Amino acid sequence: MKYGKFAAVYDGLMEDIPYEKYVEWVASHVPSGKLLDVACGTGTLSQLFAEMGYEVTASDLSEDMLTVANQRFQEANQSIPVLQLSMDNLEGLAGFDIVTIAIDSLNYLQSGEQVRQTFREAYEALNSGGHFFFDVHSVFKVDKVYMDSPFVYDAEEIAYIWHTEPGEAEHSVIHDMTFFVRQNGLFERFEETHEQMTFPVDVYIKWLEEAGFSIESITADFSDQAPDEESERIFFYAKK
């Protein structure tokens, strides 16, 4: 997927995401180490991990996202290697203590086999005893919460109208977004269509175990609580 203009507005749209809690979650289990931030987007989380002292490598499939990430790292005087890679093909990367796939990035994969391959790639990238952290949308969020669209966002520089509809696959959603971004006093309009897919928790567990991981914890919604039927974001911590 090419994100184009979306990369330029991504950080504004994600400003309510508690990235610091994500870092705290990882640090509470693994306080240091060599970390691969897969699907890093514009690099917000990579930057925070680096500030905490982790040795960070950032990867993403989108050249546009990586351009923004590189600029972020340069402005912060951080030396973070950046790689353009798909999360289901990490091209033989190895030697990491930690792999993260954050903020529902895994849900952009378009088949169960891609998810399974991503788990295998993460496993191979980790040292023995390495740690794997990721989160996904719950089935409840995809099937119920997202179907309450349209959603509207209106800020000083950015506004959007966000429509959703079920995708062809079970537990999938199509996001159709129309953006209005202020440019030199005028608003430029552009459109984006994204598709996401998720799976029940027990399916993710099965695939993680097939890849060789042991499950350390499964929690929900940036808390230490186990998921319930109306949890919206599920957090997995697994170990090689």
Side-chain angles (χ1 to χ4, degrees):
M1 175 182 292
K2 293 184 177 181
Y3 284 88
K5 296 179 181 178
F6 185 66
V9 301
Y10 180 84
D11 287 337
L13 301 179
M14 301 293 282
E15 62 184 5
D16 291 334
I17 295 291
Y19 288 103
E20 291 81 4
K21 286 188 176 181
Y22 215 105
V23 174
E24 291 172 4
W25 174 49
V26 173
S28 69
H29 297 288
V30 196
S32 63
K34 188 175 179 180
L35 185 150
L36 175 62
D37 186 15
V38 177
C40 68
T42 58
T44 300
L45 202 58
S46 297
Q47 181 178 18
L48 291 173
F49 279 126
E51 289 173 354
M52 288 283 289
Y54 293 90
E55 183 183 347
V56 179
T57 297
S59 72
D60 201 281
L61 182 60
S62 167
E63 182 178 356
D64 298 301
M65 290 288 190
L66 291 176
T67 297
V68 178
N70 257 323
Q71 182 177 352
R72 177 192 303 281
F73 303 152
Q74 290 171 8
E75 290 175 353
N77 293 317
Q78 293 175 316
S79 298
I80 299 177
V82 171
L83 307 173
Q84 187 175 4
L85 297 171
S86 171
M87 67 183 89
D88 62 346
N89 183 7
L90 298 179
E91 297 186 2
L93 289 178
F96 292 92
D97 304 304
I98 306 159
V99 171
T100 60
I101 307 179
I103 317 300
D104 58 83
S105 295
L106 197 75
N107 294 129
Y108 280 96
L109 296 174
Q110 293 302 297
S111 72
E113 180 52 38
Q114 281 189 296
V115 177
R116 295 170 73 186
Q117 179 62 26
T118 297
F119 289 168
R120 292 190 287 265
E121 293 284 313
Y123 188 88
E124 292 302 320
L126 286 166
N127 293 321
S128 178
H131 308 266
F132 183 30
F133 299 87
F134 68 93
D135 68 279
V136 292
H137 291 317
S138 68
V139 167
F140 171 75
K141 184 171 186 179
V142 170
D143 292 352
K144 302 295 184 182
V145 176
Y146 274 146
M147 293 305 114
D148 287 337
S149 73
F151 308 107
V152 177
Y153 176 88
D154 187 5
E156 185 173 342
E157 300 297 326
I158 303 171
Y160 67 71
I161 303 171
W162 173 8
H163 292 272
T164 61
E165 62 183 69
E168 292 185 7
E170 187 177 20
H171 310 315
S172 66
V173 58
I174 298 171
H175 307 280
D176 287 315
M177 296 171 283
T178 302
F179 291 90
F180 303 88
V181 180
R182 187 186 295 274
Q183 298 281 356
N184 300 318
L186 300 175
F187 280 91
E188 178 185 5
R189 170 178 172 162
F190 67 92
E191 298 178 349
E192 290 274 340
T193 298
H194 297 179
E195 185 168 356
Q196 290 187 300
M197 173 191 301
T198 199
F199 300 90
V201 169
D202 59 350
V203 173
Y204 286 114
I205 292 173
K206 176 185 176 182
W207 291 343
L208 283 166
E209 291 176 342
E210 285 178 352
F213 286 105
S214 61
I215 311 300
E216 298 295 309
S217 68
I218 302 173
T219 55
D221 298 331
F222 290 99
S223 76
D224 59 1
Q225 301 300 308
D228 60 33
E229 292 182 354
E230 294 189 355
S231 298
E232 296 187 17
R233 189 181 293 273
I234 313 298
F235 292 76
F236 292 81
Y237 165 37
K239 194 172 180 180
K240 179 172 179 177

